[in-house]
Amino acid sequence: MNYDVIVVGAGHAGCEAALAAARLGLKTLILTINPDKIALMPCNPSIGGVGKSQLVSELDALGGQMAKVADKTYIQLRVLNKRKGPAVQALRAQIDKKEYEIEMKRVLENTENLTLRQGTVNKILVKNDTVTGVSIESGLEFKAKAVIVTTGTFLRGRIIIGRKDYHAGRMGEYPAMNLTNNLISLGFKIGRFQTATPPRVDKRTLDLSKTEIQRGEEEPVGFSIWNKGGIRKNIECYLTYTNKKTNEIVRKNIEESPIKSGMVDTHGPRHCPSIDRKVINFPEKTRHPIFIEPEGENTNEMYLQGLTTSMPPEIQQKIINTVSGLENARIIRPGYAVEYDYIIPNQLNFTLESKKISNLYFAGQINGTSGYEEAAVQGFLSGVNAAQKIKNRPPLILTRDNSYIGVLIDDLITKELIEPYRMYTSRAEYRLILRCDNADIRLSGYGKNIGLITSEQYKKVLNKENKINEAIEKLKSIWINPGKTTIRLFENVDTKLMADTSLSAYKLLKRPGVNIDDITGLLNDSNGDYDKDILKQVEIIVKYEGYINRQLNEIKKMEGLEKYYLPQDLNYFDITGLTYEAKEKLSEIRPNTLGQASRIAGISPADISILMLNLKGKLKKVKQFGY
Amino acid sequence: MDNDDTITAIGTKPGEAAIGIVKVSGNKSIAIVDRIFRSKSRKKLSAIETYNMIYGHIVDKNSDIIDEVIVSVMKSPHSYTREDVVEINCHGGLVATEKVLELCVENGARIAEPGEFTKRAFLNGRIDLSQAEAVIDLVRSKTEQSLKIAAKNLQGNIKNEINKIRQEILDIIIQLEASVDFIEEDLEVTPYHELEKRVRVIEKELEDMIKNEKRGEIIKNGIKIAIIGKPNVGKSSLLNMLSRKDKAIVTSIPGTTRDAVEEILYVEGIPLILVDTAGIRETKNIIEKIGVEKSLRHIDEAELVIMVLDGNRKFDNKDLQIIKKVREKTIICCINKVDLEQNIEMGKVLDYFDEEKIVKISALKGIGIEKLENMIKELVLGDGEINLEEMIIINKRHKNILTEVKKLLENARKAMVEDMSEEFPCCDLREAYGLLGEIVGETVTDDILDGIFSQFCIGK
Ligand SMILES: Cc1cc2nc3c(=O)[nH]c(=O)nc-3n(C[C@H](O)[C@H](O)[C@H](O)COP(=O)(O)OP(=O)(O)OC[C@H]3O[C@@H](n4cnc5c(N)ncnc54)[C@H](O)[C@@H]3O)c2cc1C
Ligand SMILES: Nc1nc2c(ncn2[C@@H]2O[C@H](COP(=O)(O)OP(=O)(O)OP(=O)(O)O)[C@@H](O)[C@H]2O)c(=O)[nH]1
Ligand SMILES: [Mg+2]
């Protein structure tokens, strides 16, 4: 049984990895513990959010799957940060969980070159520091040129509820108990994290009249730019709050909380603290929002966002019942925590290939991240790079200055993780140019070059780009003379803005209070009207030009460092002038590029200069896909 | 490398011929200079903090004063060469400077070979950028901004001060970022109008620091004051009176002074370099003409200009011509010869000078000189008292960074006033935070997220 690529695990990372590899023409096998649970969402039934939405858009622009499946299965869509600038706006979708799994499985099953199969991998087969395949618990072996490990929370997974614990990958699922030891024996450094999920309750037992109703957008929006449709579904969510009684119950039973009882002592994501932790850390706060979200259209299971806990079920019940609207709520599934192994991600390259073993890739939660979107983009990148390598083509390397995906990867392989990593816009120093709305322009060229975006799709993007530039040029050439008839076009604009001297429409658009709608009349001509999409881009580019240019300049300044590969066999201890700390850090992390080296904690600009002096002539230019 | 080897050399600032710097580098440098230096406060160099400066005299073995100087100490490894470095700013002209160098050698230093300071810098792990032109371009952005090494130099007050400002900027960033990344959390973040106020306070603090830095420069390099005016109004007489010396030749013949005459005068330990210039007028005399051209150049270089008018004569077009040349400068107007009959029309003078910038004097009789000195002091040093013992040198690059940071803060505030979304002021504030971090030697980390999680109850 010979394959080109084997993907271990069919979660969000695994699915994207397998799809990318198979679509690039490689014979791909995806092995997973339970084929009934493909791309399962074990926690909140939603995709997107601030920072994460950017990841989904980028994945879409590159030719990934997540956006499309989300668009097909959402039950409510909302735009977050609507009143803020374009760079930090984001989409958040409530997803029908079951539908999502079904749709993703359908896509997998109908993709050429892709085989889905049950099996729990217990060994990565390696020869001469190169991967040769995997074996599963039953003893079967599968050969492959590349292996991608995307095992999520399953490695030595241990579930904790109250004072009870047992091994499981997720609630009701087998763990993968043997793979960790195999990885350790291959020389990988392993860490352990924890995460938890809130209880689910029966909708019929809720008094929703006591809650605030949360509706979605009425305007058609969606994640994928390739097939835009109308609004699919707009199902209500609900908002309620905890109160003093909630805090009291939590406090009274706090000894039962795993974080107090010592049942859990690993780090979990700080952005999803349990209600236990919130009460401990912020005792004065007695009103925490609880969002009640349907797990799907055809189920009564409701997710209680904000009430994460892994206290004993009977106490969970009490806590829930203190909340307004939830007085009689009945638990369907209790909340729980799960502890699992991850590999320290600084053992990986920008391509997500491990530095130690050739053609072995890691993606998703196993790399210390958290979240479906974070997992999916890694899966995609690893799938593409495994394929590129097998085909002897240059890797796809995304960087901090072109994408959130680049930020994610660079952070993972460079920084020390203290908790499961989640994306935020504040992590992206160039976020003003890394927007959802221009993900296609930024990245679809890469998608096209790899072969996951078609020429027609790419042409559309190029066309859009041309139109945008054309419109901006036009604005620069249109002069508005006060008093002339043109002024009639600006009924909504404060005419004081134009009272002074004549100015270009471009300059006018820059003024606060003027927006693109005010001057669209000037742009549209006999050649037809401009799309809303294009007008929006024009507005953003013109209005925020100053900020955008500043970020572009910063990128330029760093460019020199980002362009050069550091030899991987370098002995940093041979380099005179480096501080001892620098030598140690550099030897441990073995950065891919000078840019990455400069971001390692403890490495000074002087260290970088010394590296450059010493490596003069030995630095190789990064080979990668460009447009 | 021979560790006992301490080197010394004269490094004179280009364009500042009046001030010579004797640099001493090596592990004996402080001990050597201590042997020849007497501070006003009797404090030993070994007892002062790194990057401080101290005012006093260089003396020879007979305790005769050789020069009045300001000495700065930069201790290893926080110096250009990473060794202990002492810089002696001599104000007594070339001869005195050379004497000071000699004294250093007598006390155990060796004259440095050309480029030896740089060589040491390189050998001690500081890069020699001149050797790697190509590299410079690549690293410049990073190195120039970061100054991590120079950063470590900063000690005491300034470092604390900058860290305080940095923390405050971070707090503001946290407020802004929290409302961007955690919009769904319904957090109670500080509103714009309050954050604006806080930004303004930081701007003010930076302004003070920048001003202080300027004073540091003044203390080190002195301040140049040009005495100008028509021929024969009493410029040379004024120089002599201020310096209490008979340095410049005084005659009743207009056009006496042909070449500029410099004299250093200490006011509270601060060197004032007074320059008496040739009277400015149209002239055919080639020597005087060169003198006049030189005068104009001195005006250009001077931080302060003393414009002398003759009270005995009427205000005329020639005075006006000169005034026009110095309009951009900080000026004090001296109406000289008050001991004689006053024919000058004050009304006309007041058209060109603020009343508080005018002082009536007699350079011959010494009338009004004290008042003039006070005016100079005020203009040069500003309002605050300068305490030499506590002055800390911030270098030019740090000053540039602080100025840049201040500009960024102004931008951020403007964005808030215009009610732009949080990520825009954040863009400026984060850059400011990064720049300051590079002064104190810390680069951006995950401080922001840590701050958000510790200050707000996040988590749904
Ligand atoms: C209880 C819980 C709470 C969570 N809470 C949050 C949260 O609050 N916020 C958040 O952002 N994210 C949370 N997550 C994480 C989120 O679910 C994951 O980040 C995301 O699903 C990771 O995707 P993945 O593809 O890396 O792994 P997973 O989705 O976990 O998929 C792993 C896949 O690998 C398979 N597999 C594992 N081991 C083997 C093996 N040896 N052989 C074959 N197949 C194998 C599994 O069957 C599974 O299909 C939570 C997860 C859990 C379980
Ligand atoms: N009575 C009186 N005479 C003064 C005073 N100041 C200067 N003089 C006289 O004015 C004449 C010119 O003085 P200088 O000091 O040489 O004038 P100057 O401006 O340097 O002239 P030039 O060098 O020629 O430009 C001399 O005779 C001085 O004695 C003053 O305050 N009172
Ligand atoms: Mg004279």
Side-chain angles (χ1 to χ4, degrees):
Chain A
M1 275 176 279
N2 285 311
Y3 291 89
D4 291 318
V5 178
I6 293 175
V7 177
V8 183
H12 303 278
C15 290
E16 294 286 352
L19 286 172
R23 284 168 178 166
L24 289 174
L26 297 186
K27 211 174 143 202
T28 305
L29 171 70
I30 182 165
L31 285 167
T32 195
I33 296 176
N34 183 352
D36 285 336
K37 303 196 182 287
I38 304 284
L40 177 96
M41 300 188 187
C43 200
N44 54 334
S46 83
I47 283 183
V50 184
K52 288 166 171 269
S53 166
Q54 279 84 346
L55 289 173
V56 181
S57 299
E58 291 179 355
L59 182 55
D60 182 55
L62 288 163
Q65 193 62 39
M66 180 173 249
K68 289 179 181 152
V69 179
D71 281 349
K72 273 198 165 173
T73 58
Y74 73 80
I75 53 176
Q76 191 206 69
L77 265 180
R78 260 188 314 138
V79 177
L80 305 178
N81 275 339
K82 231 180 194 168
R83 303 229 300 279
K84 298 196 195 300
V88 299
Q89 285 180 13
L91 264 189
R92 184 176 190 277
Q94 292 303 139
I95 304 282
D96 187 314
K97 270 188 188 175
K98 267 275 137 347
E99 288 293 321
Y100 192 94
E101 287 170 44
I102 291 167
E103 173 62 14
M104 190 59 94
K105 189 171 183 193
R106 191 188 63 78
V107 174
L108 288 188
E109 286 173 342
N110 289 288
T111 296
E112 228 178 297
N113 302 322
L114 182 54
T115 308
L116 171 66
R117 183 177 173 135
Q118 181 175 11
T120 302
V121 171
N122 60 359
K123 240 185 220 140
I124 310 290
L125 307 176
V126 175
K127 203 168 167 186
N128 300 330
D129 288 337
T130 303
V131 90
T132 60
V134 300
S135 74
I136 59 175
E137 298 282 1
S138 65
L140 269 182
E141 288 191 0
F142 302 87
K143 297 278 173 213
K145 295 178 184 135
V147 170
I148 303 172
V149 181
T150 69
T151 49
T153 53
F154 284 69
L155 296 193
R156 290 196 299 205
R158 170 182 167 251
I159 280 185
I160 305 103
I161 307 186
R163 290 181 190 270
K164 297 214 164 65
D165 67 335
Y166 53 96
H167 285 291
R170 288 184 294 233
M171 188 60 91
E173 293 188 69
Y174 292 114
M177 294 307 289
N178 298 317
L179 190 52
T180 304
N181 280 336
N182 173 241
L183 290 173
I184 292 172
S185 73
L186 289 174
F188 288 100
K189 276 176 278 171
I190 303 290
R192 207 154 162 82
F193 276 151
Q194 166 265 125
T195 187
T197 193
R200 317 296 201 268
V201 292
D202 188 334
K203 186 175 183 182
R204 293 168 303 171
T205 62
L206 311 182
D207 182 355
L208 294 170
S209 66
K210 292 188 177 166
T211 66
E212 293 166 31
I213 294 179
Q214 302 240 299
R215 289 206 175 77
E217 303 297 326
E218 306 290 346
E219 291 264 307
V221 278
F223 285 107
S224 182
I225 40 154
W226 308 117
N227 39 354
K228 289 218 158 129
I231 279 290
R232 182 182 178 268
K233 290 271 159 64
N234 193 351
I235 290 174
E236 290 165 355
C237 296
Y238 310 88
L239 172 61
T240 179
Y241 294 90
T242 64
N243 51 47
K244 281 204 184 89
K245 265 192 292 172
T246 320
N247 275 30
E248 259 166 48
I249 300 281
V250 171
R251 212 173 299 122
K252 220 168 89 192
N253 294 286
I254 201 73
E255 293 308 319
E256 297 302 315
S257 169
I259 50 179
K260 274 280 169 182
S261 65
M263 290 294 289
V264 174
D265 60 359
T266 42
H267 288 275
R270 284 181 297 181
H271 63 276
C272 298
S274 59
I275 185 75
D276 326 357
R277 189 169 293 287
K278 285 191 268 190
V279 170
I280 296 173
N281 289 358
F282 296 90
E284 68 291 346
K285 191 164 174 184
T286 52
R287 192 178 138 91
H288 298 281
I290 305 295
F291 293 87
I292 307 171
E293 300 166 351
E295 294 254 309
E297 196 181 2
N298 303 308
T299 172
N300 281 323
E301 252 187 275
M302 303 295 274
Y303 178 88
L304 297 181
Q305 168 127 266
L307 268 186
T308 296
T309 178
S310 43
M311 292 241 202
E314 58 282 9
I315 296 167
Q316 292 190 22
Q317 183 71 61
K318 280 189 200 157
I319 294 171
I320 291 170
N321 293 146
T322 61
V323 179
S324 163
L326 305 181
E327 291 86 348
N328 299 309
R330 246 196 344 259
I331 292 178
I332 294 179
R333 308 174 201 230
Y336 67 94
V338 60
E339 208 181 56
Y340 57 93
D341 296 328
Y342 70 96
I343 74 147
I344 313 283
N346 68 23
Q347 304 169 89
L348 306 176
N349 290 314
F350 275 119
T351 54
L352 295 181
E353 184 181 16
S354 77
K355 290 173 182 165
K356 272 206 186 70
I357 292 173
S358 287
N359 297 4
L360 177 59
Y361 296 77
F362 291 84
Q365 191 122 1
I366 185 160
N367 287 344
T369 61
S370 134
Y372 318 133
E373 304 81 351
E374 287 83 349
V377 299
Q378 290 175 65
F380 177 85
L381 198 77
S382 63
V384 166
N385 278 320
Q388 292 292 111
K389 190 163 180 200
I390 291 170
K391 292 197 212 164
N392 224 340
R393 300 187 62 197
L396 172 65
I397 291 171
L398 296 173
T399 47
R400 304 187 74 88
D401 52 23
N402 67 15
S403 58
Y404 274 80
I405 302 178
V407 171
L408 171 72
I409 305 292
D410 188 59
D411 279 351
L412 280 183
I413 66 176
T414 310
K415 291 183 177 167
E416 198 189 340
L417 280 188
I418 51 162
E419 61 171 338
Y421 182 101
R422 180 216 197 268
M423 185 48 76
Y424 298 103
T425 70
S426 61
R427 293 196 195 268
E429 59 271 52
Y430 308 123
R431 72 176 150 195
L432 298 181
I433 47 181
L434 305 183
R435 305 184 305 270
C436 284
D437 62 68
N438 68 0
D440 50 351
I441 293 174
R442 282 187 283 127
L443 299 173
S444 58
Y446 293 97
K448 153 88 177 24
N449 275 338
I450 301 157
L452 291 170
I453 293 291
T454 64
S455 297
E456 288 91 86
Q457 284 177 312
Y458 187 48
K459 229 181 256 155
K460 258 199 222 162
V461 178
L462 284 184
N463 197 29
K464 177 176 164 190
E465 212 178 343
N466 286 337
K467 280 259 168 185
I468 293 166
N469 293 334
E470 177 195 299
I472 292 175
E473 284 315 306
K474 215 161 156 190
L475 285 180
K476 284 183 179 166
S477 70
I478 299 173
W479 285 81
I480 299 157
N481 299 308
K484 292 254 174 80
T485 42
T486 35
I487 284 218
R488 258 185 286 125
L489 285 163
F490 305 102
E491 281 161 359
N492 301 325
V493 182
D494 181 358
T495 37
K496 254 188 278 156
L497 288 175
M498 319 184 270
D500 38 15
T501 51
S502 74
L503 79 175
S504 64
Y506 169 81
K507 281 266 165 64
L508 179 64
L509 181 55
K510 279 183 176 297
R511 299 196 165 176
V514 180
N515 53 46
I516 190 80
D517 295 339
D518 299 324
I519 57 170
T520 316
L522 289 173
L523 272 179
N524 293 334
D525 58 17
S526 50
N527 296 332
D529 290 359
Y530 284 95
D531 279 355
K532 254 190 137 172
D533 256 20
I534 287 163
L535 292 174
K536 193 174 151 206
Q537 285 303 300
V538 170
E539 181 173 36
I540 293 170
I541 293 170
V542 173
K543 272 207 169 312
Y544 303 116
E545 192 185 23
Y547 284 97
I548 291 171
N549 283 344
R550 262 171 65 187
Q551 299 223 308
L552 289 173
N553 283 338
E554 301 236 324
I555 291 173
K556 259 222 191 83
K557 278 199 232 158
M558 283 298 290
E559 222 166 42
L561 296 179
E562 306 293 352
K563 267 200 204 125
Y564 291 94
Y565 264 139
L566 286 168
Q568 282 299 300
D569 54 359
L570 204 60
N571 185 352
Y572 289 99
F573 285 91
D574 284 350
I575 295 177
T576 41
L578 288 178
T579 62
Y580 189 75
E581 187 194 2
K583 289 176 181 175
E584 272 193 321
K585 284 262 166 71
L586 291 166
S587 307
E588 189 203 330
I589 296 184
R590 303 213 149 270
N592 280 196
T593 62
L594 279 170
Q596 191 196 345
S598 75
R599 286 184 288 274
I600 295 173
I603 301 296
S604 73
D607 294 324
I608 297 297
S609 310
I610 287 163
L611 269 184
M612 292 178 116
L613 274 178
N614 277 278
L615 297 176
K616 220 172 161 189
K618 277 184 245 165
L619 293 168
K620 274 180 297 173
K621 264 230 157 120
V622 173
K623 242 203 332 194
Q624 67 155 340
F625 266 105
Y627 284 64
Chain B
M1 198 191 322
D2 183 3
N3 278 336
D4 286 341
D5 205 15
T6 293
I7 53 172
T8 181
I10 296 179
T12 301
K13 289 222 165 131
E16 304 241 20
I19 298 201
I21 301 171
V22 175
K23 292 194 232 175
V24 192
S25 177
N27 66 353
K28 285 194 189 142
S29 57
I30 294 174
I32 290 171
V33 180
D34 250 342
R35 262 175 254 155
I36 58 171
F37 176 70
R38 301 286 172 270
S39 77
K40 272 268 150 75
S41 57
R42 302 275 158 238
K43 215 170 182 178
K44 281 280 172 196
L45 290 179
S46 47
I48 74 167
E49 267 196 72
T50 189
Y51 265 75
N52 277 22
M53 42 191 170
I54 185 162
Y55 166 65
H57 294 104
I58 296 291
V59 295
D60 64 13
K61 49 180 177 287
N62 305 322
S63 287
D64 287 341
I65 290 177
I66 303 300
D67 198 3
E68 208 165 1
V69 296
I70 286 166
V71 175
S72 356
V73 176
M74 285 137 283
K75 289 185 186 165
S76 168
H78 308 309
S79 72
Y80 175 60
T81 57
R82 290 204 164 169
E83 302 173 333
D84 285 343
V85 170
V86 180
E87 283 184 12
I88 309 169
N89 290 254
C90 308
H91 300 119
L94 194 60
V95 180
T97 308
E98 277 176 350
K99 191 82 211 283
V100 172
L101 181 74
E102 253 169 55
L103 284 173
C104 288
V105 174
E106 271 173 31
N107 283 281
R110 166 174 74 71
I111 302 271
E113 291 158 28
E116 198 174 359
F117 283 88
T118 309
K119 189 171 140 205
R120 286 194 174 198
F122 181 65
L123 291 175
N124 288 328
R126 292 215 26 183
I127 46 156
D128 179 4
L129 290 174
S130 65
Q131 284 191 336
E133 279 288 322
V135 176
I136 293 183
D137 281 328
L138 292 172
V139 229
R140 173 160 292 149
S141 50
K142 255 316 217 184
T143 354
E144 269 195 0
Q145 283 175 20
S146 55
L147 290 170
K148 197 161 178 176
I149 299 159
K152 288 191 189 146
N153 297 339
L154 282 173
Q155 290 247 330
N157 300 343
I158 295 282
K159 183 162 183 168
N160 288 342
E161 190 67 12
I162 287 184
N163 274 331
K164 238 175 54 204
I165 289 179
R166 221 172 153 246
Q167 187 55 47
E168 172 67 0
I169 293 178
L170 179 63
D171 277 352
I172 296 170
I173 294 172
I174 287 168
Q175 297 296 322
L176 297 170
E177 291 286 6
S179 70
V180 169
D181 272 334
F182 300 93
I183 181 77
E184 294 166 280
E185 305 271 353
D186 203 16
L187 306 176
E188 281 174 27
V189 297
T190 319
Y192 265 4
H193 61 91
E194 257 170 59
L195 294 179
E196 247 173 67
K197 264 188 239 153
R198 285 167 65 179
V199 172
R200 200 188 288 271
V201 171
I202 308 175
E203 280 171 40
K204 182 82 187 51
E205 277 167 40
L206 286 172
E207 210 168 278
D208 289 348
M209 287 175 76
I210 292 166
K211 245 195 237 149
N212 246 332
E213 188 279 337
K214 181 136 184 266
R215 290 185 192 163
E217 282 289 308
I218 289 171
I219 293 172
K220 234 167 101 178
N221 299 335
I223 178 160
K224 194 160 175 174
I225 303 176
I227 304 174
I228 63 160
K230 279 188 312 198
N232 215 36
V233 292
K235 300 181 294 297
S236 302
S237 309
L238 178 57
L239 176 87
N240 289 346
M241 180 52 81
L242 282 170
S243 62
R244 277 118 191 136
K245 283 182 192 163
D246 256 338
K247 185 138 180 188
I249 301 161
V250 172
T251 74
S252 56
I253 308 160
T256 302
T257 307
R258 296 292 172 87
D259 205 354
V261 179
E262 287 190 10
E263 186 55 48
I264 294 189
L265 166 73
Y266 285 87
V267 177
E268 290 178 8
I270 294 163
L272 305 183
I273 304 156
L274 290 171
V275 188
D276 171 29
T277 63
I280 297 170
R281 65 168 169 181
E282 294 286 325
T283 173
K284 295 223 163 61
N285 182 313
I286 188 143
I287 300 173
E288 194 181 349
K289 205 167 175 173
I290 295 170
V292 171
E293 274 160 25
K294 255 192 165 169
S295 298
L296 295 175
R297 225 173 314 134
H298 278 296
I299 292 171
D300 242 21
E301 288 168 9
E303 272 99 354
L304 174 66
V305 168
I306 298 178
M307 166 94 199
V308 185
L309 298 172
D310 187 340
N312 187 231
R313 286 193 268 170
K314 286 205 176 332
F315 184 83
D316 63 17
N317 212 26
K318 286 175 193 144
D319 292 315
L320 191 56
Q321 289 306 320
I322 298 170
I323 289 173
K324 277 186 182 155
K325 290 196 167 74
V326 296
R327 242 196 317 237
E328 307 281 293
K329 293 277 174 182
T330 311
I331 308 180
I332 295 175
C333 172
C334 286
I335 298 180
N336 192 25
K337 307 192 188 177
V338 286
D339 51 309
L340 302 179
E341 186 193 337
Q342 294 298 288
N343 297 316
I344 195 161
E345 305 92 324
M346 280 310 288
K348 281 191 186 164
V349 179
L350 281 166
D351 278 350
Y352 299 99
F353 299 101
D354 293 338
E355 200 162 354
E356 67 269 22
K357 292 282 169 64
I358 302 173
V359 55
K360 294 189 174 173
I361 60 163
S362 165
L364 197 65
K365 302 265 157 68
I367 303 167
I369 295 300
E370 207 171 309
K371 187 166 175 216
L372 173 62
E373 279 175 350
N374 284 334
M375 280 169 80
I376 296 174
K377 238 188 283 175
E378 175 115 341
L379 281 174
V380 173
L381 308 179
D383 30 17
E385 281 286 295
I386 288 195
N387 183 344
L388 270 185
E389 291 290 329
E390 277 178 17
M391 265 318 283
I392 292 162
I393 313 162
I394 321 175
N395 67 30
K396 269 255 147 52
R397 281 153 118 195
H398 291 158
K399 182 191 164 187
N400 290 344
I401 290 180
L402 293 186
T403 314
E404 180 66 18
V405 167
K406 191 169 159 258
K407 227 169 57 200
L408 288 165
L409 295 184
E410 282 163 9
N411 267 345
R413 200 156 44 79
K414 193 169 147 246
M416 290 192 226
V417 172
E418 285 175 12
D419 206 24
M420 288 181 82
S421 168
E422 286 84 349
E423 66 274 20
F424 296 104
C426 255
C427 180
D428 297 306
L429 291 172
R430 286 175 65 153
E431 202 178 326
Y433 182 73
L435 282 176
L436 288 178
E438 281 158 357
I439 291 190
V440 292
E442 277 161 39
T443 39
V444 184
T445 56
D446 285 330
D447 299 351
I448 296 171
L449 284 171
D450 288 344
I452 293 175
F453 287 119
S454 65
Q455 289 183 29
F456 297 102
C457 181
I458 302 284
K460 295 175 304 180

